[in-house]
Amino acid sequence: MKRKTLYAPSLLSADFSNLHDAVERIHASEADWIHLDVMDGRFVPNITFGPKVVADLRPLSTLPLDVHLMITEPERYAEEFISAGADYLTFHLEATVHAHRLVQKIKERGAKAGVSIVPSTPVWMLEELMPELDLILIMTVNPGFGGQSLIPRCLEKVRYLKQAAQRDSHDYLIAVDGGVNRNTADAVRRAGADVLISGSAFFKASDPREEVRRVRGY
Ligand code: DX5
Ligand code: ZN
């Protein structure tokens, strides 16, 4: 079954002193989800925000909140982010030993479970988790900062995941994060991505609605 491609603006490139405006911009753009990058200064060399920001944003939108944890030991904070209103909770395979246990816990608590891998992690490392996952997020830059260029080789992973899903009837959505913009979007969509995450290009765009349409392809 062909799914509609979804566009998820990443708040990382928003003005953090005015998140209200950022959410309004997302609503006006007709984007599908809101992507929230949580960074701890350990798993990645940058720090952003914690569950309170997610909880404060929750009443401002009915769009799904897609929380991307770039933190070590994500199991310590998963429940807090779900209580704060995360619809999708994605953590990094590289950040915990017991990824399978954490996926179960996220689903038991009523959220959708996602796992992400950085560019240096081979995609087959996800094999055992594939039947359990609601979302797989392929990082197409090294996580930590917005505004980097997409690493084309990472799209091979997207193709692999698409084929695996078709072959083995897996249900996960494939999300791509890092360097997605109107110049790279075609290749990302053709590789098989279901969710296109974009930060700097979205917040720089003079017409965000047009940007979303161009990137999403409709
Ligand atoms: C990077 C984050 C991304 C980031 C993408 O570590 O996970 O979500 O916002 O930014 P752009 O679209 O500028 O590459
Ligand atoms: Zn992200």
Side-chain angles (χ1 to χ4, degrees), residues 10 12 35 37 39 68 70 139 143-147 177-179 198-200:
S10 161
L12 183 63
H35 184 81
D37 289 302
M39 304 185 186
H68 178 191
M70 282 160 279
M139 285 301 315
F145 302 96
D177 191 3
S198 183
S200 51

Side-chain angles (χ1 to χ4, degrees), residues 8-209:
S10 161
L11 279 184
L12 183 63
S13 292
D15 175 354
F16 280 15
S17 73
N18 202 346
L19 290 176
H20 217 284
D21 264 19
V23 171
E24 286 310 311
R25 183 181 174 91
I26 291 170
H27 289 161
S29 77
E30 296 173 5
D32 304 284
W33 292 3
I34 303 179
H35 184 81
L36 299 158
D37 289 302
V38 177
M39 304 185 186
D40 65 353
R42 291 187 65 213
F43 183 70
V44 287
N46 194 5
I47 301 176
T48 55
F49 48 79
K52 181 170 189 305
V53 170
V54 178
D56 288 354
L57 286 167
R58 182 65 284 182
L60 302 185
S61 183
T62 56
L63 294 178
L65 297 184
D66 175 36
V67 175
H68 178 191
L69 299 179
M70 282 160 279
I71 64 175
T72 57
E73 299 177 275
E75 58 275 12
R76 292 177 58 196
Y77 293 98
E79 267 185 82
E80 273 188 72
F81 280 99
I82 293 168
S83 304
D87 294 286
Y88 281 82
L89 191 63
T90 296
F91 64 90
H92 271 265
L93 185 66
E94 305 87 0
T96 182
V97 175
H98 301 291
H100 187 275
R101 178 183 287 155
L102 183 50
V103 167
Q104 303 308 320
K105 183 169 158 183
I106 292 169
K107 297 205 302 193
E108 273 164 30
R109 299 293 190 278
K112 303 271 193 195
V115 167
S116 181
I117 52 173
V118 302
S120 61
T121 300
V123 68
W124 52 259
M125 298 277 288
L126 294 167
E127 208 69 48
E128 302 302 323
L129 294 172
M130 283 181 188
E132 317 290 333
L133 291 172
D134 298 303
L135 181 139
I136 296 178
L137 189 161
I138 296 299
M139 285 301 315
T140 42
V141 299
N142 286 293
F145 302 96
Q148 305 179 75
S149 300
L150 180 142
I151 302 166
R153 192 185 160 92
C154 295
L155 295 181
E156 292 297 328
K157 299 181 188 179
V158 178
R159 279 185 268 277
Y160 177 98
L161 291 172
K162 189 77 189 172
Q163 279 176 12
Q166 282 165 350
R167 188 186 58 232
D168 300 329
S169 305
H170 296 315
D171 266 344
Y172 52 72
L173 293 171
I174 306 169
V176 170
D177 191 3
V180 176
N181 55 46
R182 54 177 74 188
N183 300 320
T184 57
D186 264 9
V188 177
R189 276 191 271 105
R190 269 190 275 114
D194 302 298
V195 186
L196 306 185
I197 298 159
S198 183
S200 51
F202 178 82
F203 282 97
K204 268 195 220 138
S206 54
D207 183 346
R209 194 150 159 251

